[in-house]
Amino acid sequence: VIKCKAAVAWGAGKPLSIEEVEVAPPKAHEVRIKIVATAVCHTDAYTLSGADPEGCFPVILGHEGAGIVESVGEGVTKVKKGDTVIPLYIPQCGECKFCKNPKTNLCQKIRITQGKGVMPDGTSRFTCKGKQIYHFMGTSTFSEYTVVADISVAKIDAAAPLDKVCLLGCGISTGYGAAVNTAKVEPGSTCAVFGLGGVGLAVIMGCKIAGASRIIGIDINKDKYAKAREFGATECISPQDSAKPIQEVLVEMTDGGVDYSFECIGNVGVMRAALEACHKGWGVSVIVGVAAAGQEISTRPFQLVTGRTWKGTAFGGWKSVDNVPKLVTDYMSKKIKVDEFVTHTLPFDKINEAFELMHSGK
């Protein structure tokens, strides 16, 4: 058993608490990882807020991390002690019908136990002050050591800087894949990206790499426009600058609508606007943001009858074990940006400040 520091969420709506936790050794087909770097994501904040129906407490959150394998359980063959890895919240077992189908990346092998905050055998590897602590998204990267299923880990280039590539565990991969895998943006196309946070910037990067000729960034926070342009946005607009609904503004700006739109916020009203900003006959709108529990999307069926397509994406459609190492290689060979997404680097015990920076849009 390893004793180490972890940021424990004791209950909904409370700040994270840095505690000493015990991390049990990995059982069969499990891997214990020394986490070197982790990032914070709105999904962590969503669960911490208490709005997540799957949220269970006390829990160690975090799902964007990178580290070194400390030990492996019985039967683990894909990684060994000392390997550099990224934990994966969408695993890839290679055996379920989802993994065998090229149309999806949604491996279901451990979905039920992962959603309940436990390892595949139904138990937790974390304890603190004598209490069992739940796992989160199968990763729990807000701990100096974590245990994950062996199908939830990608072995990456040992030379990769972990404080950067941890972002490929969720945000950058999700946005980039939404453009290149889910939407399949084509050269010369016009795109609109709603929400210019980390995921939105990654979508812009994907649209640019795919050859889009016009990329319109949309956000009410104008402080984000400079960064969006740096990533490839050709122009940025705020919905607050017009009396008309934003979809009407976009339809006018683009002679009938955009070819591809992306919702990177998790707001069902914006999801409707993103669809309705698409061009009749061929426009495709991809939902990337995660809306709160129980919310529903709506539009007039005529929007779809007249040739628009509504899609969704999880982790950018990447088959995780196969593709995360390739994304790291693409970063190392300067094909995709990663460093530019990092705005602040803080010591682990300042994790609550990291959440404050995220909530303030900084």
Side-chain angles (χ1 to χ4, degrees), residues 159-181:
L162 301 187
D163 59 331
K164 307 293 192 292
V165 297
C166 60
L167 292 170
L168 292 169
C170 177
I172 298 178
S173 305
T174 297
Y176 179 51
V180 299
N181 296 331

Side-chain angles (χ1 to χ4, degrees), residues 319-360:
K319 297 242 186 208
S320 59
V321 173
D322 290 346
N323 287 291
V324 167
K326 291 177 186 170
L327 289 165
V328 171
T329 302
D330 284 350
Y331 157 64
M332 299 291 277
S333 58
K334 305 225 175 340
K335 284 184 192 160
I336 60 171
K337 294 179 196 277
V338 174
D339 296 11
E340 293 82 354
F341 285 89
V342 179
T343 56
H344 297 77
T345 304
L346 299 166
F348 184 36
D349 55 11
K350 298 271 175 74
I351 191 161
N352 287 307
E353 285 180 35
F355 276 91
E356 287 163 22
L357 287 162
M358 181 172 66
H359 287 306
S360 64

Side-chain angles (χ1 to χ4, degrees), residues 59-73:
V59 65
I60 295 172
L61 299 170
H63 63 283
E64 288 184 339
I68 311 290
V69 174
E70 178 274 332
S71 58
V72 298

Side-chain angles (χ1 to χ4, degrees), residues 142-288:
F142 292 173
S143 175
E144 291 179 327
Y145 287 86
T146 190
V147 179
V148 304
D150 62 353
I151 58 171
S152 304
V153 64
K155 182 183 171 181
I156 61 161
D157 183 342
L162 301 187
D163 59 331
K164 307 293 192 292
V165 297
C166 60
L167 292 170
L168 292 169
C170 177
I172 298 178
S173 305
T174 297
Y176 179 51
V180 299
N181 296 331
T182 310
K184 295 184 169 63
V185 171
E186 296 151 323
S189 54
T190 298
C191 303
V193 181
F194 292 77
L196 302 176
V199 174
L201 293 175
V203 171
I204 290 172
M205 176 174 77
C207 292
K208 185 181 178 182
I209 289 170
S213 60
R214 196 172 176 193
I215 304 167
I216 305 164
I218 300 129
D219 203 300
I220 56 175
N221 181 353
K222 294 186 178 179
D223 292 341
K224 299 197 169 184
Y225 293 177
K227 198 86 169 167
R229 288 195 183 91
E230 188 187 313
F231 277 86
T234 53
E235 59 220 281
C236 295
I237 57 173
S238 169
Q240 295 176 335
D241 285 352
S242 171
K244 290 180 185 168
I246 188 67
Q247 52 266 56
E248 287 181 29
V249 174
L250 285 160
V251 166
E252 280 176 21
M253 280 173 68
T254 56
D255 185 30
V258 299
D259 302 312
Y260 301 97
S261 71
F262 302 86
E263 199 280 353
C264 308
I265 301 162
N267 178 309
V268 292
V270 178
M271 290 172 189
R272 177 173 190 160
L275 175 79
E276 295 178 358
C278 283
H279 203 289
K280 185 188 284 189
W282 62 77
V284 174
S285 186
V286 180
I287 293 172
V288 193

Side-chain angles (χ1 to χ4, degrees), residues 71-90:
S71 58
V72 298
E74 192 189 327
V76 175
T77 55
K78 300 243 173 97
V79 294
K80 63 185 185 304
K81 182 177 177 171
D83 282 350
T84 304
V85 293
I86 290 178
L88 307 166
Y89 71 90
I90 293 183

